[in-house]
Amino acid sequence: MDSFFFIATGMLCLLTASGDRGIGKARSCSDIRHFYSGKGFHLDDVPQSEISGEHLRICPQGYTCCTSDMEEKLATLSRREMEGLLKEAGRALQTSLSGQYKAFDGYLQELLNRSEVALQETFAPSMGLLYSQNAPVFSDLYMELRRYCRTSNVNLEEALNDFWARLLEKLFNQANQQYIIDEDYQECVSKQMETLRPFGDAPRELKLKVTRALVAARSFIQGLLVSGDVVRKVSQVQLSLECMRAMMRMTYCPHCRGMASARPCANYCSNVMKGCLANQADLNTEWRHLADTMVQVAGRFDGPTGVDVVILSLPNRIAEAISTMMENIEAVNSKVFQACGSPRGGVTSTTAQEEVSKGGKIIVEDRVGPSTGKLEQMVLDASRRLKDMQPYWVSLPSVLCSDRMATGAGAEDRCWNGMNRARYLPEVMGDGLASQINNPEVEIDITKPDMTIRQQIMQLKIMTHRLKNALNGNDVDFVDTSDDASGSGSGICADDCPPSPRLIVPITQPPMVYARPENERVVKGSASQNLPCVLSSLLSLAALLLLLWR
């Protein structure tokens, strides 16, 4: 009698060991067949009714409607869908940064255009031939300023020095037409710029103001460009194999278990996302530093030394400088002749000098005018958006989980926890790669950070350093990376974008880490559910053998 009892107990446990559904007719797989075909897969893979799930490598190994092929295809789909969501979130941020870039770049170009038009409209009638014969000097100045704002190969200080040197040569030649002034003599005249000071303090003051204003504006615009480029590149980073497995377990394993309506527990989803986006979260510190510094730089745009006031006052400052030289042309000539010698050409005549100086002081209409508030509003809008984007990388997990998590009464007890409908007990991990060492949902080797993301962290550091230099009025050089697809291909600006800076990060040999063979990996919870019953079966069989042996 005892032997029959042990046999019955063993058979009962063996029947229930392969699943948690109990004895009964296998349930239909019609729901997942409809769902699976809706995802674009063939129904040939889907069984008509539940089967034993020992073949599963990701989902819990109970009764299931998923075959191995289905599990693999749905896992790949889950990763592809998550990568699509990351790119979509990145595009939204890129669009915001692109709007800021276009607004500031467009406004800066508009200021330069207005300033050049004001100079032309005033200088042409008041200076006559003196302007028309020397117009390229002024147009070249504005061309260099535009190039400086958008490219990396213009030295602003040299461009301004070259403008004043050329202007001195032209005005000196115009005032001394009776002489033969060759290139060597012109070079000597240019070298007297510092000692002659023919334009008074205008060159020094203008260089200081223009440099401070344009360095800040250009660096800010570059910051917007680099930020968008970082978002684009990081959003394209492929998720890991372990992340794919975790996403599958959270997203589609409930369908395989016949629990299509089950939504992930909040903390469960957080751990999956924090594990999958651990490298991205490491951008947080430098991303915040960059945003903070850009807000500080933007604060320098307005006021009496702001970029609009400086650029629109260029014609006035240049006119004052020319008037200073005209009023002192005889003294200028005397010092030049003393330093460079008398030029060839005969007896000195004052006819040309009189022609240059008879125009008197050039009066330029003040084009600055009262503030329209446009720049101030742009700065406020940019500062607000920069502050809003600061937590972007660490807030991604909660953003991506917000539409997935179970909510409502009893949600914590009836949500999907990766194994079944039940409360999720593990604690939520912190942000960043180092915090994932004990993540229960995603296996991560914290000694192997993603190199693409590490390079982008370095880009943020470089840009922040340059912006801090700009705060002090120090010019910065941007490395030309036109081969790095960071210009027009970045999707943030037009074809004439300035290139983003780049740093080549040396690739070091990572520690050797050997992965466990697939057949040695333990699927969480798949065996522990049936262990008591299997153990009972083994004990029953052992007892039966002892009875038979006797």
Side-chain angles (χ1 to χ4, degrees), residues 141 145 156-168 171 190 192-212 310 313-314 316-325:
L141 170 64
L145 294 179
L156 183 56
E157 185 173 338
E158 288 182 3
L160 292 171
N161 289 340
D162 182 63
F163 165 73
W164 291 114
R166 288 180 63 196
L167 186 59
L168 172 60
L171 293 178
S190 297
Q192 308 309 310
M193 186 75 179
E194 289 296 325
T195 56
L196 282 176
R197 298 183 68 245
F199 301 113
D201 291 332
R204 183 183 61 82
E205 293 177 354
L206 203 62
K207 180 162 59 177
L208 180 63
K209 291 181 179 179
V210 170
T211 299
R212 282 188 175 275
V310 170
S313 64
L314 273 175
N316 266 316
R317 303 290 79 80
I318 295 173
E320 291 172 358
I322 294 174
S323 296
T324 298
M325 180 171 174

Side-chain angles (χ1 to χ4, degrees), residues 250 264-274 400-401 404-405:
M250 181 178 74
C265 302
N267 289 349
Y268 172 46
C269 185
S270 293
N271 276 342
V272 171
M273 293 302 182
K274 283 176 181 284
L400 295 174
C401 279
R404 299 167 176 265
M405 295 184 301

Side-chain angles (χ1 to χ4, degrees), residues 362-498:
I362 305 172
I363 306 299
V364 180
E365 180 185 353
D366 185 5
R367 296 299 181 97
V368 177
S371 175
T372 61
K374 181 178 180 180
L375 181 59
E376 182 181 0
Q377 184 58 46
M378 287 171 58
V379 169
L380 289 173
D381 186 44
S383 299
R384 184 178 65 253
R385 295 194 183 193
L386 287 169
K387 290 176 181 177
D388 288 344
M389 80 176 193
Q390 283 185 323
Y392 176 77
W393 297 110
V394 292
S395 66
L396 266 179
S398 61
V399 170
L400 295 174
C401 279
S402 61
D403 293 333
R404 299 167 176 265
M405 295 184 301
T407 57
E412 292 185 1
D413 295 319
R414 298 291 297 163
C415 55
W416 173 254
N417 65 3
M419 294 300 300
N420 214 324
R421 284 182 182 269
R423 181 180 291 270
Y424 183 75
L425 299 179
E427 64 176 347
V428 177
M429 299 293 101
D431 298 312
L433 189 61
S435 300
Q436 309 308 312
I437 189 169
N438 293 317
N439 192 313
E441 308 307 330
V442 188
E443 293 183 20
I444 299 176
D445 185 351
I446 65 171
T447 67
K448 292 182 178 180
D450 185 275
M451 292 308 297
T452 298
I453 293 178
R454 297 294 140 175
Q455 287 177 345
Q456 298 314 302
I457 291 174
M458 291 303 302
Q459 297 289 55
L460 296 175
K461 289 183 178 180
I462 292 170
M463 192 66 242
T464 301
H465 177 70
R466 288 170 172 164
L467 284 162
K468 288 180 178 179
N469 280 337
L471 283 172
N472 298 321
N474 298 326
D475 203 354
V476 289
D477 294 324
F478 293 97
V479 180
D480 189 352
T481 60
S482 55
D483 63 333
D484 193 31
S486 58
S488 59
S490 67
I492 194 172
C493 60
D495 290 341
D496 53 353
C497 291

Side-chain angles (χ1 to χ4, degrees), residues 39-51:
K39 293 292 183 179
F41 298 117
H42 294 296
L43 288 177
D44 295 342
D45 297 336
V46 189
Q48 293 292 336
S49 58
E50 288 181 327
I51 58 176

